[in-house]
């Protein structure tokens, strides 16, 4: 084999040939096994499924397989790099599904950014999968794509950049509030960034009982006095800042705020960070450069989290999505509800237990208890919400 162009670089060496392969679960040692796995035996299974499509759940890999779908428009912090360049990330996501949830996943990179084409393509692919994980699709298109796919499909559809981030952020915030003696009903939260993650974080915080939330985009606080809001942002403004009359700039709403959650990629000046309440909570989740660097955050905050692995309290989506799909698949759920997401966050928060400290508000992705705890909580919530089929 010819030496690849980046030989000697451990990152590139690991990626040679990709990070995935497909393995057979059926031994094909001779003609008898071949006749069972393929023709003529397989025809009997096909006939059984044709007579009763629910048999797909027993006799194919479909109920344990998720499609990881992207158009390459919002990949990591790299932006719109296209579907081909997105494939290493989608492969990585698939590997994480298998490693942490026992879920098979197939990366699918679509060569279109047209909303209608993406929706129609996924709908046509859906019979091959038990769930759809949307990944790295830019806002605001991602909101419409997810919503319309949920309407048309009876399998879980989950945009991880939105909801995975939101679940883990809520889990970490639950423990941060506990540590600092704050109450969800009275805490003041600022969410900087109104893209996929920012909207989902704000929505799950509302679901969890947090009321005073100011969400900001580049033009300032989302509130109904603004005429430039998209439908998604306008709806969020009505449910957040409007209730408390929050408006203006980041500096206006950060003064006295208890919690800052950054999902914007911008940088917050030190004087604004310094204006927060005592014992503040700062989550700077942009990668690789947090909105508030931990060294600066620790000067003014009691609890600090980032999206990076080289600092404590990493808000890592891998804590959520494998267990969420595992739990949904185990009960053959038709959807992933808000209740299932909150249940996943609660389970993650509870795993910290007596180890709770400023440096430990969220479990490690390598904590072996994580996938099972999230799975069980999600499965129970699916039953409670009436979306479980078994």
């Amino acid at each position: 084999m010819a030496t690849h162009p980046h030989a000697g670089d451990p990152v590139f060496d690991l990626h040679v040939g990709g990070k995935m392969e497909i393995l057979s679960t059926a031994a094909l040692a001779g003609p008898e096994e071949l006749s069972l796995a393929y023709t003529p035996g397989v025809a009997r299974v096909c006939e059984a499924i044709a007579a009763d499509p629910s048999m797909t759940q027993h006799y194919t890999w479909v109920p344990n397989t998720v499609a990881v779908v992207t158009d390459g428009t919002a990949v990591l912090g790299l932006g719109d790099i296209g579907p081909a360049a997105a494939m290493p990330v989608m492969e990585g996501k698939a590997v994480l599904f298998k490693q942490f949830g026992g879920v098979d996943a197939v990366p699918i990179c679509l060569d279109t950014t047209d909303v209608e084409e993406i929706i129609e393509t996924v709908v046509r692919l859906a019979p091959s999968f038990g769930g759809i994980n949307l990944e790295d699709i830019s806002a605001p298109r991602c909101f419409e794509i997810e919503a319309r796919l949920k309407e048309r499909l009876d399998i879980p559809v989950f945009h991880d950049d939105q909801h995975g981030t939101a679940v883990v952020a809520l889990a970490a915030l639950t423990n941060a509030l506990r540590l600092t003696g704050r109450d969800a009903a009275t805490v003041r939260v600022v969410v900087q960034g109104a893209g996929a993650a920012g909207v989902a974080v704000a929505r799950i915080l509302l679901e969890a009982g947090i009321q005073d939330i100011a969400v900001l985009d580049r033009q300032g606080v989302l509130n109904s006095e603004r005429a430039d809001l998209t439908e998604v942002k306008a709806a969020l403004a009505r449910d957040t800042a409007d209730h408390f009359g929050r408006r203006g700039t980041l500096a206006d709403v950060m003064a006295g705020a208890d919690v800052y959650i950054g999902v914007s990629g911008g940088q917050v000046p030190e004087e604004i960070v310094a204006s927060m309440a005592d014992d503040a909570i700062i989550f700077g989740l942009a990668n690789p450069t947090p909105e508030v660097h931990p060294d600066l955050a620790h000067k003014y905050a009691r609890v600090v989290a980032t999206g990076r692995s080289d600092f404590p309290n990493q808000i890592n989506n891998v804590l959520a999505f494998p267990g969420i799909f595992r739990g949904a698949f185990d009960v053959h759920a038709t959807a992933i509800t808000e209740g299932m997401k909150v249940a996943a966050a609660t389970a993650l928060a509870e795993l910290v237990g007596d180890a709770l400290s400023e440096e430990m508000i969220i479990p490690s992705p390598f904590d072996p208890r994580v996938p099972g705890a999230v799975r069980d909580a999600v499965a129970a919530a699916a039953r409670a919400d009436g979306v479980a089929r078994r």
Side-chain angles (χ1 to χ4, degrees), residues 10 43 65 75 112 124-125 149 175 219 264 268 292-293 302 313 344:
T65 306
V75 181
T112 178
R124 282 159 176 72
L125 289 170
L149 286 173
N175 278 334
Q219 282 68 49
S264 70
V268 182
V292 184
H293 192 279
R302 182 172 172 191
N313 299 327

Side-chain angles (χ1 to χ4, degrees), residues 1-13 15-17:
M1 178 183 291
T3 301
H4 63 89
H6 297 278
D9 183 318
V11 171
F12 284 89
D13 288 347
H15 283 79
V16 172

Side-chain angles (χ1 to χ4, degrees), residues 372-390:
V374 174
R375 174 200 65 209
D376 293 347
V378 167
R383 293 190 178 99
D385 288 348
V387 296
R389 287 182 281 203
R390 65 182 179 209

Side-chain angles (χ1 to χ4, degrees), residues 20-354:
M20 300 173 60
E21 65 177 352
I22 291 179
L23 299 175
S24 171
T25 62
L28 300 178
E32 182 177 355
E33 289 89 351
L34 184 60
S35 71
L36 295 174
Y38 203 55
T39 185
V42 72
R44 292 173 54 200
V45 181
C46 295
E47 290 173 332
I49 294 172
D52 179 1
S54 71
M55 290 297 100
T56 303
Q57 300 299 313
H58 298 286
Y59 299 120
T60 74
W61 80 332
V62 166
N64 193 58
T65 306
V66 60
V68 182
V69 179
T70 190
D71 63 358
T73 55
V75 181
L76 302 178
L78 304 174
D80 185 356
I81 60 173
M87 179 56 85
V89 177
M90 301 310 114
E91 284 186 9
K93 198 78 173 194
V95 170
L96 296 177
F97 264 114
K98 189 68 172 180
Q99 177 71 27
F100 294 103
V103 172
D104 292 311
V106 177
I108 297 175
C109 299
L110 301 179
D111 190 14
T112 178
T113 60
D114 182 88
V115 168
E116 300 300 330
E117 290 183 355
I118 292 171
I119 291 169
E120 292 303 321
T121 301
V122 174
V123 167
R124 282 159 176 72
L125 289 170
S128 299
F129 299 98
I132 307 295
N133 185 92
L134 302 173
E135 191 76 21
D136 293 348
I137 298 173
S138 62
R141 298 155 51 256
C142 59
F143 302 118
E144 180 180 359
I145 290 169
E146 184 189 43
R148 289 176 57 191
L149 286 173
K150 284 181 175 180
E151 291 174 358
R152 294 184 62 177
L153 300 177
D154 65 350
I155 57 176
V157 177
F158 185 83
H159 185 203
D160 186 54
D161 300 312
Q162 293 183 58
H163 309 299
T165 302
V167 165
V168 182
L170 174 58
L173 183 57
T174 298
N175 278 334
L177 295 180
R178 177 181 156 206
L179 191 63
T180 59
R182 289 181 165 95
D183 183 75
T186 57
V187 70
R188 271 191 60 203
V189 178
V190 174
V191 178
Q192 185 180 21
V199 171
V201 167
R203 286 291 176 196
I204 203 170
L205 296 186
L206 289 168
E207 192 74 20
I210 295 174
Q211 302 171 28
D212 191 349
I213 306 170
V215 183
L216 297 95
D217 62 10
R218 289 184 179 87
Q219 282 68 49
V221 176
L222 306 186
N223 65 76
S224 292
E225 294 178 3
R226 288 177 50 182
D228 61 337
L229 300 181
T230 64
E231 183 178 335
V232 169
K233 290 182 180 180
L236 189 58
R238 291 191 294 271
D239 293 337
T240 56
D242 282 7
H243 288 288
F244 293 87
R246 305 291 180 199
R247 56 179 56 81
T249 67
L250 181 65
D252 294 324
V253 291
M254 280 284 272
D258 301 297
V259 179
Y260 169 83
I261 301 175
V263 281
S264 70
Q267 295 293 293
V268 182
E270 181 170 354
E271 61 269 21
I272 293 180
V273 178
S275 73
M276 295 182 70
D278 293 339
D279 282 348
I281 298 164
I282 294 178
F283 293 0
L285 305 186
N287 245 331
T289 306
E291 291 85 354
V292 184
H293 192 279
D295 293 342
L296 171 60
H298 279 296
K299 291 175 62 176
Y300 303 100
R302 182 172 172 191
V303 182
V304 177
T306 72
R308 290 172 50 151
S309 60
D310 54 346
F311 291 100
N313 299 327
Q314 184 191 19
I315 307 300
N316 191 331
N317 290 13
V318 77
L319 287 163
F321 67 82
I324 288 174
F325 270 94
R326 178 74 274 152
F329 283 176
D330 284 354
V331 297
H332 192 192
T334 58
I336 294 173
T337 65
E338 291 303 312
M340 292 160 74
K341 297 170 200 171
V342 172
T346 300
L348 285 172
E350 290 176 348
L351 282 179
V352 175
D354 293 338

